């Protein structure tokens, strides 16, 4: 038994046949094409609690991170991967068992039956593999990398959950503002419809004007019903994302035109995505694990060496079981190397290399996708703001046109069709402005997540 420390030292200091890991080249540009905004912080330096400015949204995100069922599954998968790593790593060390037995046997002989007793108490190791070639070490490393990849995958899921909650929340808020606009428009147009009816009854106008006023009413009513439907569906989706009904009334929210929705961000360099994006980190951990599996496969070409041993006491009498003369021990070493396996080991190495090559391509694709998402978010941030500013000007112009058309019609200068077109265009422009503001908010969330933000 005194040789065990030496054997374990030899085991842990064995050679490693895994290829030297090198991070694959990132097939992306060294800088983003969009100009950097002045001021702001890196997304990884801003927690989601400090990034979002809407109290109601922050309450929804906190509830989702605590109660979402899909997130609970992702967390459970981390525990599974951790347990699998511990199982695999335990195989690198000897399994020590203790046993005791008592037996009695009756053996017939020419002189008569003989009864014998045998008592044992032993501690032993069975088929302990001496990992000179690093097979078990590489399998353990592969399991560890899979565990780390699962951790990063869970973090990526958290970020996706934050993004989904925020996106749905802003869809609800924009829907509510659209509903409010539609309801006010319906009231105004019903009033105009009633005036048109009175003018028709007085013989001042024809049925054409009344029908055109009715068209404006039905347009607003149709839009109102559609917004109520889609907004309620978004509320149902949000309920699933946050894990159930909230306890107590939610805090007040901010309007989608509020400038305090987000903290200001700067993107930094694309190379930072390699260490900040959890999906990129997960892809790299999987690649490292595949690299270790190559080493484990290569080790099958070398002899398998195993050790067994035991030490304890054996005695025909229980009373003398633990005396010095009853001490017994044994040990044995065995080595095996397949001579003919019809290409099985060669195929195993080829399989692990092909898996590594697949994961290299997956890693590079993940990096490219991360770069694209950030680039899309940056160009969206600038161009959507330009669209919003232009649409605000368009709404102001359409409002002036609607007021002018109403005055021209009241003065008898134009027909009611001019009023109809102006009111329809104004309503469409106002709804479009709401949608653009919501799109800008959702783009801001996507950019924050794409940059690797979201830490608690």
């Amino acid at each position: 038994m005194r040789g065990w420390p030496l054997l374990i030292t030899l085991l842990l200091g064995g050679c490693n046949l895994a290829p030297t890991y090198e991070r694959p080249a990132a097939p992306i540009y060294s800088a983003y094409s969009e100009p950097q905004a002045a001021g702001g912080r890196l997304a990884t330096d801003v927690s989601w609690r400090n990034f979002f400015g809407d109290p109601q949204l922050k309450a929804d995100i906190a509830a989702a991170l605590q109660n979402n069922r899909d997130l609970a599954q992702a967390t459970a998968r981390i525990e599974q991967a951790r347990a699998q790593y511990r199982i695999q790593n335990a195989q690198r060390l000897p399994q020590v068992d203790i046993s005791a037995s008592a037996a009695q046997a009756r053996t017939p002989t020419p002189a008569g039956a003989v009864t014998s007793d045998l008592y044992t108490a032993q501690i032993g190791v069975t088929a302990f593999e001496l990992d000179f070639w690093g097979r078990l070490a590489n399998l353990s490393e592969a399991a560890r990398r899979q565990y780390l990849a699962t951790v990063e995958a869970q973090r990526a899921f958290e970020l996706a959950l934050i993004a989904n909650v925020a996106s749905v929340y802003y869809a609800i808020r924009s829907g509510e503002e659209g509903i409010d606009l539609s309801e006010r428009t319906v009231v105004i147009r019903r009033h105009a419809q009633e005036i048109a009816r009175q003018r028709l009854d007085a013989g001042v106008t024809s049925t054409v004007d009344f029908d055109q006023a009715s068209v404006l009413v039905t347009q607003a009513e149709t839009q109102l019903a559609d917004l109520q439907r889609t907004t309620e569906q978004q509320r149902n989706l949000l309920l699933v994302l946050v894990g159930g009904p909230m306890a107590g009334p939610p805090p007040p929210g901010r309007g989608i035109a509020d400038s305090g929705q987000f903290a200001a961000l700067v993107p930094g360099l694309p190379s930072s995505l390699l260490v900040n994006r959890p999906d990129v980190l997960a892809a790299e951990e999987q690649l490292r694990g595949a690299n270790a599996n190559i080493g484990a496969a290569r080790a099958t070409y070398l002899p398998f060496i195993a050790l067994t041993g035991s030490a304890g006491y054996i005695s025909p009498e229980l009373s003398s079981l633990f005396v010095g003369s009853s001490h017994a021990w044994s040990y044995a070493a065995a080595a095996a190397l397949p001579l003919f396996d019809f290409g099985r080991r060669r195929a195993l190495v080829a399989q692990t290399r092909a898996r590594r090559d697949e994961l290299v391509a997956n890693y590079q694709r993940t990096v490219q996708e991360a770069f694209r998402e950030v680039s899309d978010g940056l160009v969206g941030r600038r161009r959507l703001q330009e669209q919003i500013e232009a649409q605000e000007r368009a709404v102001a112009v359409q409002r002036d046109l609607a007021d002018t058309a109403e005055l021209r019609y009241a003065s008898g200068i134009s027909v009611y069709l001019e009023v109809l077109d102006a009111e329809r265009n104004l309503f469409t422009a106002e709804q479009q402005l709401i949608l653009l503001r919501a799109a800008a908010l959702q783009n801001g969330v996507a950019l924050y997540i794409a940059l690797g933000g979201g830490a608690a």
Side-chain angles (χ1 to χ4, degrees), residues 1 4 122-125 307-312 314 327-333:
M1 296 299 291
W4 282 113
Q122 292 183 318
I123 184 171
V125 175
L307 183 69
T308 60
S310 65
I314 302 176
H327 182 258
W329 56 266
S330 68
Y331 67 87

Side-chain angles (χ1 to χ4, degrees), residues 30-361:
S30 59
Y32 299 110
S33 59
E34 282 294 305
Q36 298 274 355
R41 301 164 60 190
L42 295 172
T44 50
D45 295 335
V46 184
S47 71
W48 66 264
R49 296 182 186 277
N50 293 328
F51 175 72
F52 294 104
D54 190 306
Q56 187 172 339
L57 174 56
K58 290 197 282 189
D60 288 337
I61 292 174
L65 293 176
Q66 181 176 358
N67 302 320
N68 184 268
R69 301 304 188 269
D70 291 332
L71 182 58
Q73 293 181 44
T75 303
R77 285 192 288 272
I78 289 181
E79 296 304 319
Q80 295 174 35
R82 180 187 289 119
Q84 181 60 39
Y85 164 61
R86 293 175 62 187
I87 291 171
Q88 184 62 55
N89 196 51
Q91 296 185 24
R92 300 181 61 191
L93 300 175
Q95 178 177 327
V96 181
D97 300 318
I98 187 170
S99 63
S101 65
Q104 187 177 65
R106 181 180 182 277
T107 305
T109 66
V114 176
T115 301
S116 61
D117 298 327
L118 184 66
Y119 300 93
T120 66
Q122 292 183 318
I123 184 171
V125 175
T126 303
F128 169 50
E129 180 178 349
L130 300 179
D131 195 25
F132 290 122
W133 326 122
R135 188 183 75 88
L136 294 178
N138 279 310
L139 289 176
S140 177
E141 175 65 6
R144 187 175 78 92
R145 293 298 177 179
Q146 184 58 44
Y147 159 64
L148 294 175
T150 307
V151 172
E152 295 298 338
Q154 192 258 4
R155 192 165 76 90
F157 186 88
E158 283 188 359
L159 296 184
L161 180 59
I162 291 172
N164 287 339
V165 170
S167 179
V168 171
Y169 176 80
Y170 288 131
I172 293 171
R173 297 294 291 174
S174 65
E176 291 172 344
E177 295 200 12
I179 289 171
D180 182 63
L181 171 62
S182 298
E183 288 176 339
R184 287 186 281 108
T185 303
V186 167
V187 171
I188 293 172
R189 291 184 180 180
R190 283 177 178 169
H191 179 67
Q193 183 187 38
E194 181 59 29
I195 293 175
R197 177 183 294 277
Q198 293 174 2
R199 290 168 65 87
L200 175 63
D201 293 342
V204 178
T205 60
S206 66
T207 58
V208 175
D209 288 351
F210 174 76
D211 290 340
Q212 289 173 338
S214 299
V215 168
L216 286 177
V217 173
T218 56
Q219 179 202 30
E221 289 176 337
T222 301
Q223 184 71 17
L224 174 60
D226 183 63
L227 285 170
Q228 289 172 330
R229 175 185 60 83
T230 56
T231 303
E232 193 60 34
Q233 289 173 340
Q234 292 295 319
R235 289 195 184 100
N236 294 335
L237 176 56
L238 184 61
L239 183 65
V240 173
L241 292 175
V242 302
M246 302 281 285
R254 291 176 179 263
I256 60 173
D258 194 317
S259 60
Q261 290 282 359
F262 299 142
L265 297 178
V266 292
L269 295 175
S271 58
S272 64
L273 298 177
L274 305 183
V275 294
N276 293 334
R277 287 270 301 223
D279 54 343
V280 174
L281 293 173
E284 185 171 16
E285 295 295 354
Q286 290 177 337
L287 178 56
R288 287 177 177 272
N291 209 60
N293 279 327
I294 293 176
R298 285 176 172 176
T300 60
Y301 278 99
L302 300 172
F304 172 87
I305 303 174
L307 183 69
T308 60
S310 65
Y313 298 89
I314 302 176
S315 173
E317 297 180 1
L318 182 60
S319 60
S320 60
L321 178 60
F322 294 105
V323 299
S325 60
S326 299
H327 182 258
W329 56 266
S330 68
Y331 67 87
L337 178 65
L339 292 179
F340 302 104
D341 62 0
F342 303 96
R344 186 187 66 83
R345 288 172 294 171
R346 184 182 297 109
L348 179 61
V349 173
Q351 181 188 44
T352 55
R353 283 175 174 166
R355 175 60 176 165
R356 191 266 314 273
D357 294 342
E358 176 191 358
L359 291 176
V360 167

Side-chain angles (χ1 to χ4, degrees), residues 357-393:
D357 294 342
E358 176 191 358
L359 291 176
V360 167
N362 177 69
Y363 172 79
Q364 292 178 322
R365 183 197 60 79
T366 304
V367 172
Q368 287 181 323
E369 186 66 18
F371 180 83
R372 183 193 66 81
E373 289 177 359
V374 174
S375 298
D376 286 351
L378 291 173
V379 71
R381 181 170 67 177
R382 183 160 65 98
R383 298 306 183 188
L384 281 168
Q385 184 58 39
E386 292 174 355
Q387 284 183 270
I388 289 172
E389 292 171 357
Q391 192 65 26
E392 288 174 341
R393 294 192 298 269

